Amino acid sequence: VTQVTLNGSAIFAAAGTITIAGLATLDSGGVGGNGLDGAGGPGGSGGSGTAGVSTVFAANRDAGTSTISIGSLTARSDGKGGSGGAGQSGISGTAGGAGGSGTGGLNTITAAAGNGSLTVGTLTMTAFGTGGVGGAGGFGDGQPGGSGGAGGNAVGGSNIAGTQSGSTQALLLANGIAQFGAVSMQSNAAGGNGGAGGGVGSGGGA
């Protein structure tokens, strides 16, 4: 018995066959929550968004070949930080909250080198990291407004496709194969924009 434990989504074959003629989608994204607007203080910070792992794996097995065949596969492990909350307006505005960090995860689409067999017609993989937008500073009434919140940091993830070493089975074989018709991989990072600073207002005439 083989136990697979991971923080995400998986298609796993061991001495058997999995066939998906159409589209398969694995989504292991993480999205941070948005910060609340300030109420007597600065805006709240956005939460961090950390993606997990999306895996397709045809393993080594003494009992026989592990085969996975998929017509079209999309694997997403994107992390997006939440937006910072707006600062409160008043006599002097308060600061906007910072955007949360966004960290991309990991996509691995592989066959074990012993006797795993993987065929994918069209493969699309994304591992984006996107920082959250900083909250706007509150306006001041005759006093300075609050500063805008900082944009969130971003770290891109990783995409891997092909063959790899597997478990200590099928040791005398080297029949593992991974075949792809078309492949698109994107692993990008984009920091969040900083929030706008609050302006200085003036009281109305009477």
Side-chain angles (χ1 to χ4, degrees), residues 3 9 15 41 44 52 57 59 67 69 141 143 147 149 153 168 178 183 187 198 200 205:
Q3 182 176 352
S9 309
F57 185 51
T67 301
S69 178
D141 185 2
Q143 297 292 325
S147 59
N153 294 326
T168 55
V183 177
S187 178
V200 179

Side-chain angles (χ1 to χ4, degrees), residues 3 81 109 121 123-124:
Q3 182 176 352
I109 314 299
L123 174 60
T124 302

Side-chain angles (χ1 to χ4, degrees), residues 49-78:
T50 302
V53 180
S54 293
T55 299
V56 175
F57 185 51
N60 285 335
R61 284 297 180 267
D62 292 332
T65 301
S66 306
T67 301
I68 298 176
S69 178
I70 302 173
S72 180
L73 173 63
T74 297
R76 293 188 293 259
S77 295
D78 304 327

Side-chain angles (χ1 to χ4, degrees), residues 120-125 161 179-185:
V120 179
T122 301
L123 174 60
T124 302
M125 309 164 75
Q179 301 180 96
F180 307 97
V183 177
S184 172
M185 296 183 181

Side-chain angles (χ1 to χ4, degrees), residues 7 10 23-24 31-32 38 54 66 73 76 88 104 126-127 135 139 152 166 182 185 188 192 195 203:
N7 177 26
L23 172 65
V31 179
S54 293
S66 306
L73 173 63
R76 293 188 293 259
Q88 185 179 33
T126 63
F139 282 88
M185 296 183 181
N188 301 330

